[in-house]
Amino acid sequence: MDQKKIKWLEQESGQWVEDGIITPLQRSQIQMRYPASSAGSPLLLFFAIIGSVLVGTGIILVFATNWWKLTMEVRIFLAFLPLAAAEGIGVYIWRKQYHSLACREGGAIFLSLSFFATLALIGQIFHTSSDLSSYVLVCILLTLPGAYLFRSKAAMSIFVLGCVMAAWDWDALVVLGLMGLSLPYFYIQLCQKGEEAAPNYLLFLVSILTANTVIQVLIRDMTVFETALICGLALILVDALFRFISPSYGLNAAKLFSAFVITATILAASLDFQGSETVSPAGFIWSGSIGVIYLVLRRRMGGKVTSSDLFFISGILLLIGAPFGGAVACLLAVGLGIYYIVLGSKVLELGKLNYGMTLVIAVILIRFFDSSLGLLARGVVFILLGIMFLAINLGISRKRKEQRS
Amino acid sequence: MKKILSYVLAVYFLLLLGIPGYFVYRHYNTLYTGDGYKFVVEPYDPYDPFRGRYVALRPEIPLYGPKGEYGVLEQNGDGYGIIREWTATKPSGGQYVKDMDLSRYYMNEKQAPRAERLRKNIDFDGEGMYLMVYVKQGHYVIEGLYVNDTPIEEYLDQKEDFSG
């Protein structure tokens, strides 16, 4: 049975006992019939993803130390080694473990990062002078089919992060086009959620159009940073307006897209820890106006604090803390990441857990490249940590198998 | 459906290996069958998070011509490369380049900052620093960075005074 329904049943059955409809014994019998799955699955997924990310990035860094004393032929062989290994693992997962979410996610991430490593090392061996954003663009375009084939949310997140990186140097239309390539994936995700998929998808497209309009209006006078944040805040406002007008409104596309825009901006701002951003007077007026309308709406709607409120507050905090943009963004990313990992594990919702993990992994990666430690040392530490996570994953899997048998 | 997707996966995996493989073939072929040119350069030291430490280089002669045009290469008496002319049509003979970018030379992370310090310490009138570049039909590959005809890696190993 669906975990949400099990959770509902658990809460309701408690009330039934209090109301005298069923006895505590009957309640426990019902609970035994529909057991809630243990937190093992998301935890396994977490370890598989973190482990693969750490091993993959560790390999990238070890290679980046530039083993110039090796012959060119040996270095070319080494360059292809991680990619060949990732493809071998990919074939195995495709044939034997495709049903396992943890394997698919881990395999797809390893494939993506291995391709990044292979191309980086070839560039290093032959001293190619292409800039960083061109390199990232080639890598994300070629690893995108992997995210689709393995239906991997984490590999798709690497693509989206790459789009954010490409946004700094490439034309806005190129970036929008790149984002468009990820839309079918989100559409498939929405379809799998059930009958609300079609209107949700339409609302998702409306949200993209809204975002595009906001960008086109603001980008001439404002920086990319403030435009993106105001765009995210405007989308949350659109979502709140829908909820205010129709209390039964149950779609979440605008909210999802706003979360996506704000998350991407937070991660982009956190790239340089000591970096600062600027907010123009027009930016303050726009964000202030949206903020006031949102506050009024929320006051009138009442209810407890929602995830929309969290994202809205994060966006506003980042705008206020713009002079310390890098540090504030880093703290926000870690805070949101940990909050959603804890929440996702508690309510057993993979979407929340994945989001939290993606944020934490992204922060690890970003700070990892920012460190003043030597490349080789960082690479080795990351590989060892990755192996440790994968070993824990394997250990838990075996234990669960033993328990089942 | 799964069978079709398996074929797609196989083609995709071949593509993932094939694209870097083609890069390697093209670079390798240019390096071993192309013509070599020297370009005088001056180093400074930045960092690429994915590809590691490199020495950023400023070539002494301008290597960018009008957009989309081909630079016809020639060697002067000392073997240094010069661009004889810029032409809009692809030259039918001789070696040529288009948008040649010689701004990076990847090095060991400990050696790259030392290479940058070289700039302040060597006498460029008496000692030359140049890139050896192989060119074949528009493709080019950097073979090495040299100081006085010695690969920079060996030169830095010999000279301890840049270790600071």
Side-chain angles (χ1 to χ4, degrees):
Chain A
M1 190 192 263
D2 185 272
Q3 289 301 310
K4 277 184 185 171
K5 287 176 185 161
I6 290 172
K7 200 181 156 201
W8 173 85
L9 186 64
E10 203 177 307
Q11 284 171 348
E12 284 296 307
S13 59
Q15 193 61 46
W16 297 341
V17 173
E18 276 180 28
D19 295 344
I21 299 170
I22 56 170
T23 63
L25 180 69
Q26 284 169 325
R27 188 192 177 207
S28 57
Q29 282 172 335
I30 291 170
Q31 281 175 333
M32 276 170 70
R33 191 177 174 93
Y34 301 105
S37 72
S38 67
S41 300
L43 201 66
L44 282 182
L45 187 67
F46 177 71
F47 287 143
I49 292 175
I50 289 271
S52 308
V53 166
L54 289 171
V55 171
T57 47
I59 289 170
I60 289 176
L61 282 188
V62 168
F63 281 159
T65 52
N66 197 340
W67 295 346
W68 62 275
K69 286 185 178 172
L70 299 173
T71 64
M72 184 183 287
E73 288 73 17
V74 172
R75 280 183 283 159
I76 291 170
F77 172 74
L78 282 175
F80 280 93
L81 208 57
L83 184 58
E87 289 196 355
I89 292 168
V91 169
Y92 171 75
I93 292 169
W94 183 265
R95 295 182 66 181
K96 306 273 184 192
Q97 295 289 333
Y98 197 76
H99 59 277
S100 161
L101 185 61
C103 283
R104 282 206 322 268
E105 290 284 355
I109 290 178
F110 190 46
L111 183 69
S112 293
L113 294 178
S114 299
F115 188 76
F116 270 73
T118 298
L119 218 57
L121 191 56
I122 289 169
Q124 197 193 76
I125 294 167
F126 293 104
H127 305 284
T128 52
S129 297
S130 64
D131 58 77
L132 187 58
S133 59
S134 306
Y135 158 76
V136 170
L137 188 68
V138 171
C139 287
I140 58 171
L141 279 175
L142 283 165
T143 51
L144 180 67
Y148 276 102
L149 284 166
F150 287 97
R151 291 190 282 135
S152 163
K153 282 181 184 166
M156 187 54 78
S157 305
I158 292 177
F159 176 81
V160 173
L161 279 173
C163 290
V164 175
M165 269 191 94
W168 297 111
D169 287 324
W170 291 85
D171 192 70
L173 282 176
V174 175
V175 179
L176 278 176
L178 282 173
M179 290 294 196
L181 292 177
S182 66
L183 281 183
Y185 182 85
F186 293 115
Y187 174 62
I188 294 165
Q189 292 294 315
L190 287 170
C191 281
Q192 285 171 349
K193 286 197 167 181
E195 56 196 31
E196 74 201 42
N200 225 348
Y201 178 52
L202 283 174
L203 192 58
F204 194 72
L205 286 177
V206 170
S207 304
I208 290 168
L209 287 174
T210 309
N212 197 19
T213 311
V214 172
I215 289 169
Q216 292 304 317
V217 170
L218 300 181
I219 194 74
R220 289 184 198 90
D221 304 316
M222 296 184 192
T223 62
V224 175
F225 168 77
E226 51 188 333
T227 306
L229 273 183
I230 293 169
C231 179
L233 296 177
L235 285 166
I236 297 179
L237 186 61
V238 167
D239 182 67
L241 275 169
F242 275 121
R243 285 176 205 283
F244 181 69
I245 294 164
S246 167
S248 61
Y249 167 81
L251 307 180
N252 59 2
K255 194 172 83 176
L256 277 180
F257 196 59
S258 67
F260 173 74
V261 171
I262 289 181
T263 305
T265 316
I266 287 174
L267 289 176
S270 71
L271 284 174
D272 181 5
F273 190 76
Q274 292 171 333
S276 63
E277 303 287 347
T278 52
V279 182
S280 62
F284 273 118
I285 293 169
W286 274 96
S287 54
S289 310
I290 293 171
V292 169
I293 299 170
Y294 185 76
L295 271 178
V296 171
L297 271 181
R298 287 296 289 126
R299 241 184 110 78
R300 293 194 64 176
M301 285 158 73
K304 58 182 181 179
V305 176
T306 63
S307 55
S308 294
D309 299 333
L310 273 183
F311 282 107
F312 200 89
I313 292 165
S314 301
I316 294 286
L317 279 177
L318 193 53
L319 273 169
I320 294 169
F324 309 99
V328 173
C330 203
L331 287 173
L332 282 172
V334 172
L336 282 173
I338 292 172
Y339 173 75
Y340 276 101
I341 287 174
V342 173
L343 187 68
S345 302
K346 263 187 185 170
V347 299
L348 288 168
E349 251 189 63
L350 269 184
K352 287 188 169 68
L353 191 74
N354 281 337
Y355 172 77
M357 282 192 304
T358 308
L359 267 183
V360 171
I361 290 166
V363 174
I364 289 173
L365 287 177
I366 290 167
R367 290 285 68 82
F368 169 64
F369 291 128
D370 202 26
S371 169
S372 55
L373 262 173
L375 288 171
L376 186 63
R378 274 183 283 157
V380 171
V381 168
F382 265 59
I383 290 172
L384 289 176
L385 280 174
I387 290 171
M388 191 188 80
F389 272 112
L390 292 173
I392 292 171
N393 187 352
L394 199 71
I396 296 174
S397 297
R398 280 192 182 158
K399 231 177 190 178
R400 291 183 75 198
K401 256 186 196 169
E402 279 170 16
Q403 279 173 352
R404 260 188 235 136
S405 63
Chain B
M1 186 66 183
K2 176 99 180 175
K3 202 176 176 186
I4 295 169
L5 282 175
S6 296
Y7 287 126
V8 173
L9 185 80
V11 172
Y12 171 60
F13 275 7
L14 285 175
L15 189 78
L16 279 187
L17 284 171
I19 287 173
Y22 172 71
F23 288 154
V24 169
Y25 163 75
R26 208 179 64 178
H27 292 321
Y28 212 75
N29 184 37
T30 306
L31 203 56
Y32 288 98
T33 60
D35 296 331
Y37 296 85
K38 297 175 189 174
F39 291 93
V40 178
V41 287
E42 215 181 293
Y44 59 102
D45 161 47
Y47 170 74
D48 182 317
F50 289 93
R51 288 168 286 190
R53 188 72 74 179
Y54 64 90
V55 181
L57 303 165
R58 287 190 205 96
E60 196 181 66
I61 60 164
L63 297 171
Y64 273 93
K67 195 172 168 57
E69 291 204 355
Y70 298 88
V72 181
L73 279 172
E74 243 181 25
Q75 278 181 338
N76 68 11
D78 299 324
Y80 286 94
I82 49 168
I83 291 180
R84 192 183 71 210
E85 61 170 339
W86 292 97
T87 166
T89 51
K90 202 172 182 177
S92 53
Q95 297 298 0
Y96 59 91
V97 287
K98 193 176 161 188
D99 299 333
M100 183 151 68
D101 187 356
L102 302 180
S103 58
R104 290 182 180 210
Y105 184 78
Y106 291 92
M107 290 188 78
N108 179 291
E109 61 179 329
K110 281 181 189 146
Q111 285 197 327
R114 293 176 66 207
E116 197 269 339
R117 278 193 285 277
L118 250 178
R119 185 165 60 104
K120 295 165 196 158
N121 289 287
I122 67 168
D123 173 13
F124 276 97
D125 290 332
E127 299 178 283
M129 184 181 279
Y130 64 86
L131 269 182
M132 190 69 197
V133 181
Y134 280 81
V135 181
K136 188 181 181 185
Q137 291 162 349
H139 297 303
Y140 63 92
V141 178
I142 296 170
E143 186 265 335
L145 180 61
Y146 290 82
V147 182
N148 295 333
D149 299 328
T150 307
I152 191 163
E153 294 86 358
E154 284 176 27
Y155 186 88
L156 288 170
D157 272 354
Q158 292 160 8
K159 301 259 178 177
E160 291 301 319
D161 49 332
F162 299 119
S163 56

